[in-house]
């Protein structure tokens, strides 16, 4: 008797698992109907966090950068317009949690402290920050005691550099020019004509944020990201900053 | 268990005892694979996390059985004149209480998720940093289906041996294995529920699984306690008294040298010990007679062991609690 009950339940579970494939609507679906509501509205509500080089304002105040470009292309592929909302990261997360926004962009990472509050796509790109050397500067054997220049807006890198035993120098400091070593995104090496010394300061996996639990919408966005970008490639943020695309 | 109390297993039980040990090793091996497979696929599903913890906890009973039964097989010595049989029961008590603690914690965790209206996000399956073009829910379900099979099959075989050898700890472990299918089924339904847009399905499944773990913990704690407080011998499955006291009294009472008899027995791990109080027919009880009385008593059931025979002037002098 009990064996039969077990057998029936197993079969029942398998059938239940196959039912969604029979086409009973979108599977997985959105508990809060994010995609359907966006389609009805005709536009995607996107929260934008000012975070160069990933997202920044153009001269006209429009969002430009890698992530706005991705979002525009995604919206276009579904025939949707885009409503941009400039917000801080906390406000963006709060709005996503309350299902007031459909996508959040501007430097979210897979290890974001918000990862339990909102949904995150898989890593659409990995950005590496490395120590680069000017063309004529020899590669140091070790970072200990070296002076590494840090671009003015990347203050957080100073801590990483100190942790490796080197001395950070902000670009306003004259010592920065003398050292010949600078901490930059690996994607910019070619553009700036610098060489990778092999010392990596950090590696960050980039993602976009979506409202929590909206799995159907998340699958669509991720599918778009898969087609659009190889997740293991590194994009060139600076090249996207030329203007709105 | 290599030995049963102070002597080897009876010949017909030896194979089963060896089989029990083999099955527990197999259980550990399969559980480790299940734990690995679930860890690779679990993502952010609460139900999967709970099922994973439950499978980790499932490693405790077989490990306890294998370690404690080696210890329990040791011969009695000066420090432990009654032997080390109780080691198994004691470790099982500890393991069952661990289940209560974990089950309670997981129930709390699932309730918090439910009350805070947490919507689990499950997107594409990522394996070793590579994104795979299927929904992560499908590998989760596949892992859960796999996790159902070994425990059910192993549990069934262990159950049969536990009944034959009167091993309560093995019996408890086997019933927990057999009930594992409910955990997997609940988690599968939880994930399908998420796919259908029911954000609460995952937390509800996790709560159901925690209640199961909690229930296993409580039932097995009571079982282990019952043995440790010297209860009378009961059937390993249905917990009815085996009425061995009556059978012994009947067999010994039929001996011509014995005028009256009463017995008290207690469970001591997989064996039963006790004392017989006899009123000798002619007022004398020689060592030979005591030995024969003990032999008669122990022949009633293979689990009876080291029955002590006490000659008394009248049954009023027998200890309290004897039967009949």
């Amino acid at each position: 008797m009990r064996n039969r009950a077990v057998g029936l339940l197993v079969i029942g579970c398998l059938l239940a698992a196959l039912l969604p494939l029979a086409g009973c609507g979108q599977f997985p679906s959105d508990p809060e109907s994010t995609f359907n509501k966006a389609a009805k509205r005709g536009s995607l509500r996107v929260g934008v966090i000012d975070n160069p080089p990933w997202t920044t304002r153009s001269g006209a105040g429009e969002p430009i950068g890698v992530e706005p470009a991705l979002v525009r292309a995604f919206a276009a592929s579904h025939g949707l317009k885009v409503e941009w909302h400039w917000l801080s990261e906390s406000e963006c997360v709060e709005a996503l949690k309350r299902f007031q926004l459909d996508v959040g962009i501007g430097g979210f990472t897979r290890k974001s402290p918000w990862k339990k509050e909102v949904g995150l796509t898989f890593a659409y790109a990995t950005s590496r920050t490395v120590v680069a050397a000017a063309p004529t500067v020899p590669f140091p054997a070790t970072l200990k005691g070296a002076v590494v220049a840090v671009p003015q807006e990347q203050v957080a890198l100073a801590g990483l550099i100190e942790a490796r035993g080197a001395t950070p120098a902000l670009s306003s400091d004259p010592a920065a020019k003398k050292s010949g070593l600078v901490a930059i995104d690996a994607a910019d090496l070619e553009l700036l004509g610098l060489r990778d010394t092999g010392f990596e300061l950090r590696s960050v996996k980039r993602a976009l944020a979506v409202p929590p639990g909206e799995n159907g919408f998340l699958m669509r966005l991720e599918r778009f990201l898969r087609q659009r970008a190889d997740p293991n490639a590194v994009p060139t943020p600076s090249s996207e900053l030329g203007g709105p695309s | 268990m290599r030995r049963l109390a102070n002597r080897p297993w009876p010949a017909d039980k030896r194979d089963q005892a060896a089989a029990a040990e083999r099955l527990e090793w197999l259980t550990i091996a399969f559980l480790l694979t299940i734990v690995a497979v679930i860890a690779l696929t679990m993502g952010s599903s609460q139900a999967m996390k709970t099922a994973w913890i439950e499978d980790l906890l499932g490693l405790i009973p077989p490990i306890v059985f294998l370690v404690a039964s080696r210890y329990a097989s040791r011969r009695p010595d000066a420090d432990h004149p009654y032997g080390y049989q109780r080691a198994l029961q004691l470790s099982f008590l500890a393991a069952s209480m661990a289940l209560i603690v974990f089950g309670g914690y997981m129930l709390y965790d699932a309730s918090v998720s439910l009350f805070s209206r947490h919507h689990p996000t499950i997107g594409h399956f990522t394996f070793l940093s590579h994104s795979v073009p299927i929904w992560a829910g499908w590998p989760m379900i596949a892992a859960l289906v796999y996790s159902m099979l070994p425990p059910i099959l192993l549990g069934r075989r262990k159950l049969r041996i536990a009944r034959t050898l009167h091993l309560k700890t093995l019996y408890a472990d086997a019933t927990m294995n057999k009930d594992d299918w409910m955990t997997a089924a609940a988690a599968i339904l939880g994930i399908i529920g998420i796919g259908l847009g029911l954000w609460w399905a995952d937390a509800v499944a996790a709560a159901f699984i925690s209640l199961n773990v909690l229930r296993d913990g409580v039932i097995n704690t009571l079982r282990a306690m019952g043995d440790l407080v010297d209860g009378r011998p009961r059937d390993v499955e249905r917990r009815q008294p085996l009425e061995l006291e009556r059978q012994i009294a009947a067999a010994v009472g039929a001996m011509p040298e014995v005028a009256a008899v009463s017995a008290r027995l207690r469970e001591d791990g997989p064996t039963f010990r006790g004392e017989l109080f006899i009123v000798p027919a002619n007022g004398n009880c020689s060592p030979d007679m005591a030995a024969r009385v003990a032999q008669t008593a122990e022949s009633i059931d293979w689990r009876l062991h080291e029955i002590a025979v006490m000659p008394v002037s009248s049954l009023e002098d027998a200890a309290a609690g004897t039967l009949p």
Side-chain angles (χ1 to χ4, degrees):
Chain A
M1 267 306 279
R2 223 180 131 85
N3 290 342
R4 202 168 295 168
V6 172
L8 279 177
L9 199 69
V10 168
I11 292 173
C13 283
L14 291 174
L15 279 180
L18 294 173
L19 208 72
L21 293 177
C24 303
Q26 156 89 348
F27 192 88
S29 64
D30 297 335
E32 301 292 324
S33 311
T34 294
F35 185 72
N36 291 342
K37 284 189 186 155
K40 211 185 289 180
R41 207 184 306 124
S43 68
L44 209 58
R45 302 166 303 179
V46 181
V48 193
I49 302 154
D50 196 347
N51 190 351
W54 303 97
T55 351
T56 190
R57 280 182 210 262
S58 71
E62 284 289 298
I64 51 171
V66 178
E67 300 188 358
L70 285 172
V71 164
R72 280 196 184 92
F74 172 70
S77 73
H78 288 280
L80 299 169
K81 296 215 236 307
V82 182
E83 275 173 39
W84 304 102
H85 300 264
W86 290 94
L87 298 166
S88 72
E89 196 167 285
S90 325
E91 288 173 341
C92 188
V93 165
E94 191 65 31
L96 283 168
K97 274 169 65 171
R98 296 188 189 282
F99 308 102
Q100 299 301 312
L101 289 176
D102 303 322
V103 186
I105 62 173
F108 283 101
T109 69
R110 286 291 306 171
K111 290 213 166 30
S112 168
W114 304 111
K115 64 183 176 201
K116 288 210 195 311
E117 319 261 340
V118 295
L120 290 170
T121 63
F122 57 66
Y124 71 85
T126 304
S127 58
R128 300 170 52 231
T129 307
V130 297
V131 175
T136 52
V137 173
F139 286 8
T142 166
L143 278 184
K144 282 203 170 47
V147 177
V148 180
V150 176
Q152 196 71 16
E153 70 274 10
Q154 305 265 350
V155 181
L157 288 180
L160 284 170
I161 294 169
E162 277 177 10
R164 302 289 289 264
T167 313
L170 292 178
S171 45
S172 51
D173 189 338
K177 269 222 173 61
K178 267 182 41 189
S179 77
L181 294 173
V182 61
I184 58 163
D185 192 303
D188 287 337
L189 284 168
E190 236 181 85
L191 210 71
L192 299 173
L194 300 172
R195 301 160 307 149
D196 187 349
T197 59
F199 292 105
E200 185 183 277
L201 292 173
R202 70 177 170 195
S203 173
V204 174
K205 293 199 162 99
R206 301 272 158 208
L208 306 180
V210 294
E214 299 298 283
N215 301 318
F217 178 64
L218 176 61
M219 293 289 285
R220 277 184 206 268
L221 185 56
E222 284 184 331
R223 241 173 268 140
F224 168 81
L225 291 171
R226 288 176 62 83
Q227 289 158 10
R228 171 69 188 236
D230 174 14
N232 295 311
V234 177
T236 49
S238 312
S239 62
E240 297 261 13
L241 286 172
S245 46
Chain B
M1 286 185 73
R2 295 293 161 77
R3 301 163 55 77
L4 179 67
N6 295 336
R7 50 189 183 161
W9 289 93
D12 57 336
K13 309 275 188 290
R14 208 168 301 158
D15 289 338
Q16 306 230 320
E21 200 154 312
R22 266 198 315 270
L23 287 173
E24 291 289 49
W25 279 111
L26 271 178
T27 304
I28 292 177
F30 273 109
L31 274 176
L32 286 173
T33 64
I34 290 174
V35 160
V37 163
I38 294 189
L40 283 173
T41 56
M42 71 182 182
S44 49
S45 160
Q46 182 104 10
M48 288 285 282
K49 185 173 92 169
T50 314
W52 185 66
I53 294 180
E54 200 224 17
D55 284 320
L56 276 175
L57 290 173
L59 283 168
I60 299 180
I63 292 176
V64 160
F65 180 84
L66 289 170
V67 170
S69 64
R70 292 248 187 301
Y71 198 70
S73 301
R74 286 166 62 169
R75 294 163 201 273
D77 53 30
D79 284 334
H80 295 89
Y82 288 97
Y84 291 84
Q85 290 251 92
R86 289 283 171 87
L88 200 51
Q89 315 306 122
L90 199 55
S91 349
F92 211 72
L93 178 66
S96 314
M97 293 183 76
L99 287 178
I100 295 181
V101 168
F102 277 100
Y105 171 71
M106 294 195 292
L107 185 61
Y108 164 74
D109 210 19
S111 311
V112 162
S113 282
L114 210 48
F115 286 119
S116 64
R117 304 180 70 92
H118 171 76
H119 291 217
T121 306
I122 303 180
H124 278 79
F125 179 53
T126 39
F127 187 70
L128 304 174
S129 315
H130 287 281
S131 166
V132 178
I134 53 168
W135 185 49
W138 299 123
M140 285 182 194
I141 291 177
L144 288 167
V145 167
Y146 169 64
S147 79
M148 259 200 243
L149 306 169
I152 294 183
L153 299 172
L154 289 168
R156 222 183 281 173
R157 292 178 63 187
K158 288 194 286 195
L159 203 61
R160 257 180 267 142
I161 296 180
R163 277 192 202 117
T164 320
L165 299 184
H166 192 78
L167 286 173
K168 288 186 289 295
T169 51
L170 189 64
Y171 180 80
D173 179 31
T175 45
M176 284 201 280
N177 285 159
K178 269 189 55 195
D179 290 342
D180 264 350
W181 68 268
M182 275 203 285
T183 295
I188 290 176
L189 288 176
I191 293 168
I192 294 178
I194 299 271
L196 293 172
L198 309 168
W199 59 267
W200 41 263
D202 190 46
V204 166
F208 175 78
I209 298 170
S210 334
L211 279 173
N212 242 14
V213 171
L214 205 53
R215 187 188 68 127
D216 278 340
V218 170
I219 289 180
N220 288 304
T221 299
L222 292 174
R223 273 196 192 128
M225 277 167 57
D227 184 284
L228 288 169
V229 297
D230 288 340
R232 65 187 290 205
R234 290 174 185 275
D235 178 68
V236 74
E237 189 161 10
R238 267 164 256 114
R239 311 308 300 152
Q240 294 156 337
L242 291 169
E243 303 287 355
L244 289 175
E245 297 87 351
R246 220 167 291 277
Q247 291 177 43
I248 290 177
V252 169
M255 292 171 74
E257 311 115 295
V258 175
V261 57
S262 78
R264 71 176 178 185
L265 298 173
R266 60 180 171 88
E267 296 212 54
D268 183 36
T271 60
F272 308 141
R273 280 185 207 263
E275 295 82 39
L276 282 185
F277 297 89
I278 58 171
V279 180
N282 61 3
N284 283 330
C285 178
S286 69
D288 261 347
M289 175 178 155
R292 268 182 286 121
V293 168
Q295 183 101 354
T296 312
E298 286 176 18
S299 65
I300 299 288
D301 190 295
W302 68 274
R303 294 162 288 190
L304 289 166
H305 165 70
E306 286 186 2
I307 304 287
V309 177
M310 272 281 281
V312 289
S313 326
S314 91
L315 283 184
E316 267 110 46
D317 295 335
T322 56
L323 295 165

